[in-house]
Amino acid sequence: MTRGWYWPKRLLAISWFKPCVSITLGPMALYTIPTNGTLDPHLAQEWLLTNGLGGFASSSVVGCNTRRYHSLLVAARTPPVDRINTVNRMGEVLRLDGKADRTLEFSSNQFANHFHPHGEQYLRQFELDDTARWTYDVEGVRIEKELLVAWGQNLVGLRYRVDPAGREFELDLLPFVSLRDFHSERRAGVQFDVKHSTDWLDVTQGSLRLCMRCDGGDFVRQGDWWYGHFYAIESARGLSCQEDLYTPGRFTLSGNAPKEITIWISLDPIEAPDWNKLFKHRQERIKQACGKLATATPAQRKLARAANDFVVYRKDPDGQDGLTVIAGYPWFADWGRDTMISLPGLFLTPGRYDDAKRVLSVFAKYVSQGMIPNRFDDYNNTPHYNTVDASLWFIHACHEYLKHTQDDQTYKSVLQPACAAIVQGYKNGTRFQIKMDEADGLISQGDWNTQLTWMDAKCDGIAFTPRQGKAVEINALWYHALRLMGEHALADHVKAGFVKTFWTGPFRGLADVVDGTRKDAAIRPNQIFAVSLPNSPLTQEQQLAVVEIVRRELLTPVGLRTLAPGDPNFHRHFSGPPRQRDEAYHNGTIWPWPIGAFFEAYLKVHDRSEAAVAQVKAWLAPLIDHLNHQACIGSISEVFEAEPPHAPGGCPAQAWSVAEVLRLAVEVGL
């Protein structure tokens, strides 16, 4: 599965960004978006609330689902995987003045050729903080809706407060149930087993069970199917994009005075949840997760809160409690590469040292044949070891942890043995033809059929960025790891081999991959790691040249292009069906996460001067603007299109995008 902006003008020390959507930061909410009854641009804005287990709730700001993953609760049955979409949305119908035919629907939904109902016309404001909140004005009746995602539980509460201004009202709330794997869609025809009383509802389909409970209203059984729900983003991605949803009945609330109703959704039977207690627990957990950044600058606080979304529970191989990192929402699970690259920003920057230790300890126990897992299976948690870089990033992350914490005991007893096993495995040779060339000490890997680096797009048997052989960032990481592990004689050997193998000159910098006589000199962002890592095999002049080449050819306001625009394989757009997107994925498409390495390298070669720090602050501004306004509000997207207007794509919330922006934002005091 594919893991798609550049603003015109060459980059200068100026502020590039201009808000494209009006958002004011209210005193009570981190993000407040006045919607004023309009569908656009708010249909393209998403929100996300996570539960620390890999589960989440998400949709568009106007409440219209545009992805198959949008849901009031995606629950992780085997955290952080085996995720189930339970209730996609809530149908919301208001009847006024006792008139059965006077129905006003304030939910929003899209079908193939139209929207129905147009509830966005009543929506006045959306707020996102510890909960998600919507405020409606339905012909003078004020309705406030609030969604609470319980931390550490597959449980959400959806609360409605109705102020009818003295009018008779009846509120009907219809849960639209899919109860299916979150990667798929539901089709009509399956049989749901429904059990209910006046204040609870159980829906079962096969081995899947959904439990709902109502506080303040009544449930009325009235089963029905709604056909052809349309998911616009899935359609744009060339994927299956229609779904039939089942509603078992409705929860009702009526009266002529202010009232409220709360509907709880869970995979397990619910015993009278306490909203205030769950809300306070979530608040405390997020504040704790922000660590030393809880009182930092607004941008840093927002990024720290975003970082917390990706930290989730996972058991280690011995069944002990641990932590890991979800690579991106809504569809990724935890990936070893993404976890290790993200770890300094997600954990060390905010001071979450105990959590960092738990993550590293989990992966240390999974070391096999000198490798940590690339990813875990979505359903049975089986580790897959198809990566050459994740293990080297693990060594870097372990030593960054040691540098920040001085925790020699954990390093010597848990982390150092794992790092040593990785170095030995790479020396001796391990899976996927990963091995050290004795002649120059460099690491080679793979063949035409394997994709082992982060540029791993492959579709229909075609690898769109074949990188078998000696890849530049792998060997920069290898040299760095050898220095960290005290293998200085071998590191000296690697340094000589690195420069001889990869250096092409001051105008192109480093080759991307060398495989025998084949030298791929395409200008890609991978060469920046030979400068950004604390141990570089390059001279000062070579480092300056690499930074300038990357700045000139690849730097954009939202990340680094994956290929220089002048290359014949450059793709301007990241759009369309899977094969079309995979072709562009690493052939021009912009990724935010490598911008962290570029900024680190830029500061390094300019001796962290005041001017360099000011420049990095200016370069970071557009990504903060994106965090505030576009795609998933409060997070940073996985990728952006190479050409203006640089539309965001891929996962709308990506761990290493947030992690690297957070790390550099704190480093330069943004």
Side-chain angles (χ1 to χ4, degrees):
M1 179 179 291
T2 297
R3 285 268 215 161
W5 304 349
Y6 179 76
W7 286 347
K9 309 291 185 185
R10 191 166 300 280
L11 306 181
L12 300 172
I14 58 174
S15 176
W16 298 321
F17 73 101
K18 180 175 71 174
C20 60
V21 180
S22 175
I23 297 181
T24 57
L25 302 180
M28 298 301 292
L30 202 61
Y31 303 94
T32 300
I33 303 176
T35 58
N36 300 315
T38 61
L39 192 62
D40 294 319
H42 312 299
L43 185 65
Q45 295 172 312
E46 300 176 67
W47 57 270
L48 171 73
L49 291 170
T50 63
N51 68 2
L53 300 176
F56 60 91
S58 181
S59 186
S60 68
V61 161
V62 292
C64 178
N65 290 347
T66 56
R67 300 183 188 268
R68 66 177 69 161
Y69 302 97
H70 283 161
S71 177
L72 296 177
L73 172 63
V74 170
R77 296 199 297 178
T78 310
V81 295
D82 192 11
R83 286 175 281 188
I84 303 299
N85 192 324
T86 60
V87 179
N88 290 56
R89 67 183 184 90
M90 195 69 68
E92 298 152 333
V93 181
L94 185 68
R95 295 182 177 86
L96 295 175
D97 306 321
K99 298 177 181 178
D101 60 346
R102 184 72 172 114
T103 60
L104 304 167
E105 299 184 65
F106 59 96
S107 56
S108 298
N109 195 66
Q110 187 173 7
F111 296 90
N113 299 312
H114 65 286
F115 288 86
H116 176 80
H118 273 282
E120 78 281 350
Q121 64 184 304
Y122 302 115
L123 181 62
R124 294 295 172 261
Q125 183 169 278
F126 170 79
E127 298 170 276
L128 182 66
D129 206 317
D130 299 304
T131 60
R133 298 186 293 273
W134 297 259
T135 302
Y136 299 88
D137 182 345
V138 187
E139 296 195 0
V141 175
R142 179 183 176 89
I143 300 175
E144 295 179 356
K145 177 172 71 172
E146 185 171 16
L147 182 77
L148 169 66
V149 176
W151 190 260
Q153 300 181 58
N154 287 312
L155 171 68
V156 301
L158 186 61
R159 172 175 290 178
Y160 294 81
R161 298 181 178 91
V162 183
D163 183 355
R167 302 170 69 180
E168 291 284 344
F169 78 92
E170 179 181 305
L171 175 64
D172 287 345
L173 302 171
L174 290 72
F176 282 82
V177 174
S178 58
L179 200 58
R180 42 83 175 167
D181 178 86
F182 81 141
H183 288 312
S184 63
E185 295 92 21
R186 174 63 72 191
R187 295 288 181 265
V190 302
Q191 295 296 315
F192 289 101
D193 182 22
V194 178
K195 295 181 173 62
H196 67 93
S197 182
T198 56
D199 63 351
W200 62 267
L201 167 68
D202 268 16
V203 181
T204 305
Q205 204 284 313
S207 64
L208 303 176
R209 182 184 184 187
L210 165 67
C211 302
M212 302 183 71
R213 181 187 178 102
C214 172
D215 294 341
D218 299 305
F219 178 74
V220 178
R221 178 80 166 92
Q222 189 176 5
D224 199 6
W225 281 94
W226 284 44
Y227 303 94
H229 294 78
F230 179 76
Y231 302 134
I233 293 179
E234 308 302 340
S235 175
R237 298 174 68 225
L239 301 174
S240 177
C241 58
Q242 293 198 13
E243 179 166 34
D244 306 326
L245 296 174
Y246 177 73
T247 176
R250 65 185 188 275
F251 295 95
T252 67
L253 182 73
S254 60
N256 59 8
K259 282 192 174 184
E260 70 177 40
I261 180 175
T262 303
I263 299 171
W264 296 96
I265 305 169
S266 174
L267 288 184
D268 304 306
I270 308 167
E271 295 295 334
D274 185 324
W275 178 289
N276 292 332
K277 183 177 180 180
L278 292 171
F279 177 74
K280 184 177 180 180
H281 175 66
R282 182 177 181 87
Q283 275 191 317
E284 291 174 347
R285 177 64 183 83
I286 293 175
K287 182 178 180 180
Q288 180 186 19
C290 289
K292 65 183 182 182
L293 301 181
T295 57
T297 67
Q300 292 177 24
R301 289 201 305 272
K302 290 178 183 178
L303 287 163
R305 291 171 68 96
N308 184 60
D309 286 332
F310 304 100
V311 181
V312 298
Y313 174 87
R314 169 178 283 284
K315 289 185 177 180
D316 69 17
D318 302 322
Q320 301 300 308
D321 293 345
L323 291 176
T324 187
V325 173
I326 288 286
Y329 292 97
W331 56 72
F332 282 125
D334 49 337
W335 289 59
R337 173 191 300 121
D338 301 57
T339 297
M340 297 309 141
I341 291 172
S342 300
L343 188 140
L346 296 188
F347 297 95
L348 303 181
T349 295
R352 301 177 64 172
Y353 302 137
D354 287 343
D355 289 344
K357 178 171 69 175
R358 292 176 69 188
V359 173
L360 292 170
S361 297
V362 166
F363 278 87
K365 290 185 178 182
Y366 274 105
V367 170
S368 168
Q369 300 180 42
M371 301 175 72
I372 69 166
N374 182 39
R375 58 179 293 269
F376 295 88
D377 189 272
D378 273 345
Y379 303 101
N380 58 27
N381 266 329
T382 301
H384 299 264
Y385 288 87
N386 54 321
T387 172
V388 63
D389 49 359
S391 303
L392 299 175
W393 281 114
F394 173 81
I395 295 175
H396 172 73
C398 288
H399 284 82
E400 287 296 296
Y401 169 79
L402 179 62
K403 182 176 73 175
H404 278 77
T405 66
Q406 305 300 309
D407 182 4
D408 291 319
Q409 181 178 355
T410 299
Y411 176 74
K412 290 178 180 178
S413 62
V414 178
L415 305 182
Q416 194 277 341
C419 293
I422 290 168
V423 170
Q424 196 61 46
Y426 278 48
K427 284 182 182 178
N428 297 341
T430 184
R431 300 176 179 92
F432 302 106
Q433 302 180 50
I434 298 170
K435 60 183 178 182
M436 184 181 75
D437 184 340
E438 295 285 348
D440 55 18
L442 299 178
I443 299 297
S444 62
Q445 48 83 28
D447 56 33
W448 67 272
N449 197 41
T450 55
Q451 291 296 93
L452 305 178
T453 73
W454 76 278
M455 291 188 163
D456 57 359
K458 187 176 180 180
C459 187
D460 299 330
I462 299 174
F464 296 106
T465 46
R467 304 188 73 230
Q468 70 271 17
K470 298 172 182 176
V472 65
E473 83 280 13
I474 303 305
N475 284 286
L477 283 162
W478 175 238
Y479 172 77
H480 175 53
L482 292 173
R483 289 294 185 202
L484 293 175
M485 297 299 291
E487 299 262 0
H488 297 301
L490 179 54
D492 289 340
H493 183 46
V494 169
K495 180 177 181 177
F498 185 96
V499 174
K500 182 179 179 180
T501 300
F502 292 106
W503 182 250
T504 64
F507 300 106
R508 298 190 71 86
L510 299 169
D512 192 59
V513 181
V514 176
D515 185 19
T517 60
R518 180 179 72 91
K519 180 174 283 193
D520 182 357
I523 297 177
R524 296 186 179 277
N526 301 306
Q527 62 179 298
I528 198 64
F529 298 104
V531 184
S532 65
L533 291 167
N535 295 290
S536 171
L538 302 179
T539 66
Q540 179 69 12
E541 287 185 357
Q542 289 169 334
Q543 292 181 46
L544 281 164
V546 167
V547 170
E548 175 56 22
I549 290 162
V550 172
R551 186 203 67 80
R552 184 183 69 234
E553 300 289 343
L554 304 177
L555 181 62
T556 79
V558 288
L560 297 186
R561 291 192 187 96
T562 43
L563 189 63
D567 194 286
N569 292 318
F570 180 77
H571 284 63
R572 289 176 169 79
H573 300 291
F574 179 79
S575 59
R579 176 166 177 153
Q580 184 174 316
R581 281 182 284 114
D582 281 346
E583 285 182 316
Y585 207 24
H586 302 110
N587 284 315
T589 297
I590 299 164
W591 291 67
W593 81 265
I595 208 171
F598 172 77
F599 290 160
E600 194 70 62
Y602 182 86
L603 292 170
K604 183 178 183 180
V605 300
H606 290 92
D607 299 320
R608 284 178 163 74
S609 66
E610 289 186 10
V613 169
Q615 177 65 89
V616 170
K617 285 183 179 181
W619 279 335
L620 277 169
L623 283 166
I624 302 302
D625 182 63
H626 168 73
L627 174 100
N628 287 330
H629 299 96
Q630 297 162 336
C632 185
I633 302 301
S635 199
I636 300 178
S637 295
E638 178 189 13
V639 296
F640 297 81
E641 285 200 326
E643 291 288 298
H646 307 303
C651 279
Q654 193 78 2
W656 55 14
S657 300
V658 171
E660 285 295 88
V661 173
L662 172 58
R663 184 173 68 85
L664 268 298
V666 172
E667 184 169 331
V668 300
L670 186 67

